[in-house]
Amino acid sequence: MFPMCSKAYFQSSQHQEKKMKISFSSILLVLIVIFITSSGNNKMVGEAKKCFATWTCEGDDECRLKCIDDHKGDGICDSSTAFPVPKQCFCQYDCYIILLQSQSSTNQSRENMETDLSRVTLRPFSLTDAHDFLRWASDVRVTGNLRWQTFTSEEEALVFIRDVCLPHPWRRSICIDDRSIGFISVFPETGDDRFKAHIGYGLSHEYWGKGIATRAVSIAVPQVFNDLPHVLRLQAFVQTQNKASQRVLEKVGFQREGLLRKYSYVKGEIHDVFVYSLLSSDLLPLP
């Protein structure tokens, strides 16, 4: 309600102007809502989150000042980048994004993904993967069979990528159109057992059952044997109830060698596991 003068029929021109502006905004909002709801296949999505920006930098001071000036955020200069690769400023700031998504387009895209496996690639993780990383690493359906804890913030994801993923001997991000949707890790053993390595993987729940994990592992295996030429045996330990992961390994060419009873301890429970192996001398099926 607007304040009124002593005479009910009188309103100032200032009040009339405000009322006209508010009425116009209200009408515009109503038209937008009608358009969205009537289209049926469209939806408006509002998302408050941490946003990230990167650029090359010489040091923390330069990075921090530019981050504050440009985004009112907090930035660090990545000192782990080896010369001559330029150091990157990693700036995070608060943002709010409103998107108009087409549900039918999204569904069509997911349907296409079932057959278009050429979009699946592997690459090393990057600090800029933190947001996409959190989308699947915060899902207990993904982390339930892993020793990883379920992540709760992009800050945790960023620290994990920086301190664990980047220095890892062989860890790759599973990507679709260069967007992280999962991971593959290989842990080489040392000393007299350096001819062996363990493989593990995880994939965003929305991409389960589409052949993507199989495609990713089939890409990874020859890369591992090429990057780690001393590794002759690649092995995996899979919980007996994890049928989907067993199918992935078997499709790629791993052989089930036996059952290890009460062998694996994950998140407070002890599990029976199957042991699978693939040798560098084994004939690999085509991906």
Side-chain angles (χ1 to χ4, degrees):
M1 296 291 293
F2 293 99
M4 300 185 66
C5 296
S6 57
K7 293 185 178 180
Y9 56 83
F10 177 76
Q11 289 181 319
S12 70
S13 61
Q14 183 179 7
H15 289 162
Q16 289 177 351
E17 184 179 351
K18 288 183 179 178
K19 186 173 182 180
M20 289 176 64
K21 288 181 178 179
I22 293 175
S23 299
F24 177 76
S25 300
S26 301
I27 293 171
L28 181 61
L29 179 60
V30 169
L31 291 175
I32 292 173
V33 172
I34 291 173
F35 170 76
I36 293 172
T37 54
S38 63
S39 64
N41 289 327
N42 293 326
K43 62 178 181 178
M44 180 175 284
V45 178
E47 184 178 5
K49 64 172 186 175
K50 290 285 186 183
C51 280
F52 300 88
T54 60
W55 55 82
T56 58
C57 58
E58 295 296 330
D60 282 339
D61 290 341
E62 175 192 337
C63 172
R64 190 174 295 109
L65 290 174
K66 181 173 174 57
C67 187
I68 292 173
D69 291 342
D70 291 359
H71 300 286
K72 295 182 175 58
D74 183 31
I76 58 171
C77 191
D78 178 19
S79 58
S80 65
T81 304
F83 183 83
V85 179
K87 296 179 180 180
Q88 276 196 328
C89 177
F90 187 78
C91 176
Q92 72 171 14
Y93 55 96
D94 295 326
C95 64
Y96 188 80
I97 295 178
I98 298 180
L99 302 172
L100 183 63
Q101 293 182 339
S102 170
Q103 191 65 39
S104 59
S105 297
T106 301
N107 290 340
Q108 184 65 40
S109 174
R110 290 178 178 174
E111 290 172 4
N112 292 341
M113 191 56 57
E114 294 180 1
T115 55
D116 187 9
L117 298 178
S118 63
R119 296 165 63 192
V120 179
T121 58
L122 301 182
R123 61 162 173 79
F125 276 96
S126 165
L127 293 177
T128 55
D129 289 325
H131 177 66
D132 290 328
F133 180 96
L134 183 65
R135 290 173 64 95
W136 50 266
S138 62
D139 189 343
V140 69
R141 292 171 296 186
V142 177
T143 61
N145 291 323
L146 306 176
R147 287 189 168 87
W148 297 11
Q149 295 301 315
T150 304
F151 289 78
T152 59
S153 70
E154 287 191 19
E155 288 76 12
E156 289 181 354
L158 173 60
V159 171
F160 186 81
I161 292 173
R162 184 191 65 198
D163 296 346
V164 179
C165 295
L166 294 183
H168 196 281
W170 206 97
R171 175 166 288 170
R172 300 291 185 268
S173 171
I174 302 174
C175 296
I176 293 225
D177 298 335
D178 204 43
R179 183 172 63 86
S180 180
I181 61 167
F183 78 97
I184 294 181
S185 295
V186 174
F187 299 86
E189 295 197 15
T190 59
D192 292 341
D193 290 326
R194 63 193 302 267
F195 66 93
K196 294 186 292 186
H198 304 261
I199 187 171
Y201 43 86
L203 185 68
S204 174
H205 179 263
E206 65 181 302
Y207 294 103
W208 288 5
K210 301 179 183 295
I212 294 173
T214 302
R215 173 70 175 178
V217 174
S218 68
I219 295 172
V221 166
Q223 290 184 12
V224 171
F225 285 130
N226 183 68
D227 296 343
L228 306 173
H230 56 281
V231 172
L232 304 178
R233 172 186 168 91
L234 197 56
Q235 57 190 17
F237 299 96
V238 186
Q239 295 176 15
T240 53
Q241 70 271 23
N242 191 349
K243 305 298 184 184
S245 187
Q246 293 166 32
R247 287 194 296 270
V248 167
L249 293 171
E250 290 165 1
K251 288 178 181 178
V252 174
F254 281 75
Q255 296 183 26
R256 183 190 293 184
E257 295 182 329
L259 170 67
L260 300 175
R261 298 182 299 165
K262 305 301 180 186
Y263 185 82
S264 176
Y265 180 84
V266 179
K267 294 182 172 65
E269 296 184 4
I270 300 176
H271 300 273
D272 296 342
V273 300
F274 291 120
V275 56
Y276 284 83
S277 74
L278 185 68
L279 306 182
S280 60
S281 58
D282 290 338
L283 179 63
L284 299 179
L286 293 175

